[in-house]
């Protein structure tokens, strides 16, 4: 079945550091890929997405590129801020699964001033 | 749009009591999801409705849990009887099927069963 694997957390960085959170997936066909973010006390919200190979999703300084050859969708940001502290979830959707998303386990990011 | 609305935001109840969580999806969305989030098990899909019909309830833990969607603008998740291990944050999410597959999450209901 479909699965998403994220790098283990928690991740702790200093402000302005470079961020990478690794995400790899297993799925048949050509899934769409997503990164969701969950700020403390809130629900998940979409951060960025990519729907086909080599697409790059970007938002709020975050980027991720859909790499079909390595089945990966790593999240990056060049300079993190304290306000980026949150839990980040990688997810995939296969059209044949309807609207269902398969989520990774989440990665807790803490950015210190 | 007001987004996905959930109520109550917090619920504290005693073991054995019935608990009902409520969700109003975004107007025009035709798919609705109930999730449970705990530290131990992460984010789990409980049930998925499409056009008010349950499509996949394989994630519902046991018979104590039930979910309904009587119309396109309202859904409930009921736990009867509740147990301490049901303590979690329960999220509702909705989407418009076949468009972007982006799910919009509500703020969640934090349930504590003592």
């Amino acid at each position: 079945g479909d699965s998403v694997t994220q790098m283990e957390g928690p991740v702790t960085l200093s402000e302005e550091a470079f961020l990478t959170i690794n995400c790899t997936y297993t799925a048949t066909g050509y899934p769409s890929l997503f990164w969701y973010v969950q700020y403390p006390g809130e629900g998940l919200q979409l951060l960025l997405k990519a729907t086909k190979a080599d697409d790059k999703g970007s938002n709020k300084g975050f980027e991720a590129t859909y790499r079909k050859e390595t089945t990966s969708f790593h999240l990056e940001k060049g300079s993190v801020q304290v306000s980026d502290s949150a839990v980040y979830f990688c997810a995939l959707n296969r059209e044949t699964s309807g609207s269902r998303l398969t989520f990774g386990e989440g990665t807790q990011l803490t950015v210190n001033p | 749009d007001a987004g996905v609305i959930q109520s109550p935001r917090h619920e504290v109840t005693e073991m054995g009591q019935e608990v009902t969580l409520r969700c109003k999806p975004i107007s025009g969305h035709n798919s609705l999801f109930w999730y449970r989030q705990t530290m131990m098990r992460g984010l789990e899909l409980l049930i998925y409705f499409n056009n008010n019909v349950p499509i996949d309830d394989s994630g519902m833990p046991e018979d104590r849990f039930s979910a309904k969607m009587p119309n396109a603008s309202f859904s409930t998740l009921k736990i009867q009887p509740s147990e301490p291990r049901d303590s979690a944050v329960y999220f509702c999410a909705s989407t418009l099927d076949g468009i972007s597959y982006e799910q919009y999450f509500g703020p969640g209901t934090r349930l504590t069963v003592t």
Side-chain angles (χ1 to χ4, degrees):
Chain A
D2 298 342
S3 67
V4 175
T5 302
Q6 293 181 227
M7 67 183 289
E8 286 191 24
V11 174
T12 302
L13 296 173
S14 298
E15 206 164 23
E16 300 183 3
F18 184 85
L19 168 71
T20 300
I21 300 178
N22 290 338
C23 170
T24 57
Y25 68 89
T26 300
T28 56
Y30 299 90
S32 295
L33 301 175
F34 305 82
W35 276 100
Y36 279 78
V37 59
Q38 183 180 27
Y39 298 105
E42 298 183 9
L44 282 70
Q45 57 185 273
L46 181 68
L47 180 60
L48 54 84
K49 65 181 180 183
T51 58
K52 60 183 187 295
D54 300 325
D55 267 3
K56 177 185 282 188
S58 61
N59 187 26
K60 299 181 181 179
F62 291 89
E63 293 183 338
T65 301
Y66 188 161
R67 302 285 188 202
K68 183 143 183 75
E69 62 277 14
T70 54
T71 62
S72 65
F73 193 55
H74 304 322
L75 182 68
E76 295 182 338
K77 186 175 186 182
S79 176
V80 294
Q81 304 301 310
V82 172
S83 57
D84 294 326
S85 298
V87 181
Y88 292 81
F89 292 88
C90 186
L92 70 82
N93 167 268
R94 280 195 297 115
E95 200 168 330
T96 52
S97 300
S99 302
R100 254 167 298 202
L101 292 175
T102 299
F103 284 94
E105 55 270 32
T107 300
Q108 172 76 56
L109 170 67
T110 300
V111 180
N112 295 317
Chain B
D1 200 316
V4 175
I5 298 172
Q6 291 188 246
S7 65
R9 292 294 310 276
H10 301 274
E11 177 80 36
V12 180
T13 190
E14 292 183 348
M15 182 173 62
Q17 296 298 305
E18 177 180 296
V19 175
T20 299
L21 311 182
R22 297 172 175 80
C23 175
K24 177 178 169 55
I26 292 174
S27 177
H29 283 187
N30 62 354
S31 287
L32 183 141
F33 305 80
W34 283 101
Y35 293 90
R36 178 172 67 176
Q37 187 177 39
T38 62
M39 289 293 292
M40 290 294 292
R41 300 173 69 91
L43 190 66
E44 303 173 276
L45 175 64
L46 300 178
I47 187 168
Y48 156 38
F49 292 89
N50 181 251
N51 293 321
N52 312 338
V53 175
I55 302 299
D56 181 1
D57 65 355
S58 60
M60 295 286 263
E62 48 200 271
D63 292 345
R64 298 184 298 106
F65 285 69
S66 62
K68 294 182 180 179
M69 192 162 187
N71 57 61
S73 59
F74 185 64
S75 177
T76 60
L77 178 68
K78 185 178 293 186
I79 308 173
Q80 165 63 18
S82 57
E83 297 182 3
R85 60 192 168 120
D86 302 330
S87 297
V89 181
Y90 290 81
F91 289 104
C92 176
S94 70
T95 191
L96 182 55
D97 212 19
I99 302 300
S100 71
Y101 304 109
E102 173 185 351
Q103 292 185 15
Y104 293 80
F105 281 72
T109 295
R110 180 174 294 278
L111 173 65
T112 303
V113 183
T114 60

